[in-house]
């Protein structure tokens, strides 16, 4: 059984999708895929064809010492 997932980041899109490794999931920063259509959506759909996708939102800065904006 495979328990390992990785963060799917732009520098690695081509290599990962060209030869998809056995992974339990990929994690993406959801804010990178909020726009309608385009290349980013295509990458997300291609990744989803191979692995479950875990969304990780970072835009609210909930862990920041500065508090919410």
């Amino acid at each position: 059984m495979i328990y390992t997932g990785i963060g799917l980041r732009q520098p690695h899109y081509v290599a990962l999708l060209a030869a998809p490794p056995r992974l339990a999931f990929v994690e993406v920063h959801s804010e990178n895929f909020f726009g309608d259509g385009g290349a980013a959506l295509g990458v997300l759909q291609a990744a989803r064809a191979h692995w479950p996708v875990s969304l990780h939102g970072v835009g609210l800065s909930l862990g920041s010492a500065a508090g919410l904006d």
Side-chain angles (χ1 to χ4, degrees), residues 12-25:
H12 311 291
Y13 290 166
V14 172
L16 284 171
L17 294 172
R22 292 182 65 201
L23 297 169
F25 66 94

Side-chain angles (χ1 to χ4, degrees), residues 7-51:
L8 181 63
R9 303 295 183 263
Q10 189 278 328
H12 311 291
Y13 290 166
V14 172
L16 284 171
L17 294 172
R22 292 182 65 201
L23 297 169
F25 66 94
V26 292
E27 175 265 344
V28 301
H29 288 169
S30 50
E31 293 85 354
N32 294 337
F33 299 93
F34 282 167
D36 290 335
L41 180 58
V43 166
L44 188 59
Q45 290 172 329
R48 182 60 188 99
H50 296 287
W51 312 285

Side-chain angles (χ1 to χ4, degrees), residues 35-66:
D36 290 335
L41 180 58
V43 166
L44 188 59
Q45 290 172 329
R48 182 60 188 99
H50 296 287
W51 312 285
V53 173
S54 172
L55 300 174
H56 178 187
V58 296
L60 288 176
S61 299
L62 294 176
S64 171

